[in-house]
Amino acid sequence: MNKGRLIVFSAPSGCGKGTMLEQILKNEDFCVSVSATTRLPREGEVDGVNYYFISKDEFTERIGEGKFLEYAEYCGNFYGTPMDKVNEMLEKGKNVILEIEVQGAVKVMNKRPDALSIFIAPPSINELRRRLHKRGTESDEVIEQRVAQASNEVALAAKYDYIIVNDALEDAVEDFFHVVRAEQLRADKRPEIIADIIKNS
């Protein structure tokens, strides 16, 4: 069985990242990493599906043991990516998608240079602003805060291996699969192929 690939997947709010993932996850070769958190479960949330719910003491202990790919504190609670769970899925041949914001993504890329990193970008900042307004769920002030944050995140997109512009959903999803396939065919990722060709000459 071929080992799966760790995929770092980031996008500013409003870029359609969630909709893209819905389409990508229809392919059984892909799964999304489940984070651990110290916050209490909300109604309907299931341990091991939405999050791994653990105590703050256990989380702190795992930090000391280096068991997280990355972690952060937000509103008094810790959130992190358990390294053992990710490796377990990779060994099963699953491509594990780590949906994460840019700062956390950079930490993961530094720790795991073997990870494939993909940034999902809007066609333009103006188009992103239009999409956020179309949602109709946030005030103009919040939208402008999101737009400003998106501009900062797009400025860091060059740190990723690939940038996919989500102009049309179907094209963006297709580009994602093309990128993953191209990475699988890279010569430095397939030394066994060269050995087999020579052996059978």
Side-chain angles (χ1 to χ4, degrees), residues 11-65:
S13 176
C15 284
K17 178 176 58 177
T19 309
M20 280 188 67
L21 283 175
E22 285 179 15
Q23 297 300 313
I24 292 166
L25 294 175
K26 290 179 181 179
N27 185 318
E28 294 182 356
D29 291 336
F30 295 82
C31 67
V32 172
S33 169
V34 177
S35 297
T37 183
T38 58
R39 76 160 172 78
L40 296 174
R42 294 175 183 147
E43 186 176 349
E45 288 184 329
V46 179
D47 184 53
V49 176
N50 303 99
Y51 286 96
Y52 296 107
F53 296 100
I54 62 177
S55 68
K56 190 165 286 189
D57 286 344
E58 184 178 352
F59 200 106
T60 304
E61 185 178 329
R62 291 189 187 186
I63 290 174
E65 294 171 347

Side-chain angles (χ1 to χ4, degrees), residues 52 62 66-69 81-91:
Y52 296 107
R62 291 189 187 186
K67 291 187 174 180
F68 289 109
L69 269 176
T81 303
M83 199 177 301
D84 59 342
K85 300 294 184 182
V86 169
N87 289 335
E88 182 182 322
M89 297 308 295
L90 293 174
E91 290 297 332

